[in-house]
Amino acid sequence: MFYSVIVRFYAKRDIYFSYYPAESWHGMLFKMLRKQDKDKTTILHDEYEGKPFTISPILPYLRWRKDKKYLKGGKKYFVRITFLEEQWYHLFMEYFLYQREKLELNGRELEIIEVLTNAKEDKRCNAISGEELWDNSRINRKIKLKFHSTTSFRVDEKHVIFPQGEFLFNSLLSKWKEYGDKELVVNSQDFGKINISRYKLESAMEQFKDYPIKGFRGYCEYELEAILSDKKVKEINLLSDFAFYSGVGYKTTMGLGQVARIR
């Protein structure tokens, strides 16, 4: 199962970040999971190559103040967290059931308002199996995606800041092979037959603790060449829908690569 969860919260006092704020949420999430099961969380941290979760930026986006990102005390914010394995979703939800310890972000206490898991509560929430994603996928040869947060692809030690089909769908296929429950026949060579038809993108850069990361945000439309079989087109559509849960590219566990399909 794949899960998308919304966590609404506020800080009791102002918080200033000298680096990308979602990096702090990443650290806090690991602390929460470790409280529930230290051994499992150590395995997650040390042995998983592609992590089975993503974290969005803190939303609404933080403004600048005194040359730092600024989270205003008392104001309501949220993050979206996705899980690609059931065990981590359950550990995360159990934290809110059994732990009474206050959460802290950058040393400031947070108050959790609510944790939403149902699409009826928020359309960005959901729980769906890989089989359901497959059943819902269509044979569309035009695909439109919105890159909600800064996105970057790491290729040969360089950051690629344009969503070419090969980089985008190789990233998705790699995650699907780890966490999907259906073997696909589509491969990297097929992704060279996915062409960008239109785009409206802007460049962006996010400052992490150790280095800045360049990327892009915006919209991109793709067209699939006629030579691709209907089966492969359906699989590419599956991967496009999977992107909502898996994220794409680099640092998806720290706020980057949040993407969703537009129909």
Side-chain angles (χ1 to χ4, degrees), residues 74-236:
K75 181 177 178 179
K76 295 178 181 179
Y77 296 90
F78 74 90
V79 295
R80 186 177 77 99
I81 302 175
T82 68
F83 297 95
L84 305 180
E85 283 189 333
E86 200 163 326
Q87 61 177 323
W88 310 114
Y89 168 76
H90 287 309
L91 281 182
F92 178 75
M93 296 304 295
E94 286 169 5
Y95 179 90
F96 295 104
L97 291 174
Y98 303 121
Q99 294 292 336
R100 294 293 178 263
E101 183 178 310
K102 292 292 185 181
L103 290 172
E104 289 188 351
L105 191 66
N106 266 25
R108 300 294 192 192
E109 187 176 322
L110 293 188
E111 193 70 36
I112 302 299
I113 301 168
E114 57 186 354
V115 181
L116 305 178
T117 61
N118 193 305
K120 292 180 180 179
E121 300 171 312
D122 190 301
K123 64 181 181 180
R124 292 162 293 198
C125 300
N126 201 14
I128 194 169
S129 67
E131 184 178 354
E132 287 177 283
L133 269 183
W134 172 254
D135 290 341
N136 293 339
S137 64
R138 298 290 181 262
I139 304 174
N140 291 330
R141 292 183 181 268
K142 292 185 178 182
I143 294 170
K144 185 176 183 180
L145 298 174
K146 181 177 181 180
F147 299 90
H148 287 275
S149 69
T150 300
T151 302
S152 181
F153 300 99
R154 186 81 165 163
V155 180
D156 296 330
E157 302 303 316
K158 295 180 180 179
H159 293 295
V160 176
I161 60 171
F162 193 74
Q164 292 172 239
E166 296 97 322
F167 300 138
L168 172 66
F169 286 96
N170 272 318
S171 172
L172 290 168
L173 181 60
S174 177
K175 275 285 183 75
W176 180 266
K177 285 180 176 179
E178 284 189 85
Y179 302 111
D181 52 7
K182 179 180 177 62
E183 188 172 347
L184 305 183
V185 299
V186 73
N187 58 55
S188 296
Q189 289 185 330
D190 297 317
F191 300 149
K193 300 176 180 65
I194 302 174
N195 303 309
I196 294 174
S197 57
R198 298 180 67 187
Y199 64 88
K200 186 177 182 181
L201 300 168
E202 61 179 11
S203 60
M205 185 172 73
E206 307 297 351
Q207 180 63 52
F208 282 74
K209 279 184 181 178
D210 298 326
Y211 46 78
I213 295 178
K214 297 177 182 178
F216 60 89
R217 291 189 295 263
Y219 298 87
C220 196
E221 295 184 32
Y222 300 86
E223 290 188 2
L224 282 57
E225 293 182 8
I227 195 172
L228 291 169
S229 68
D230 283 353
K231 179 175 175 58
K232 289 185 176 182
V233 170
K234 184 175 172 68
E235 291 182 352
I236 291 168

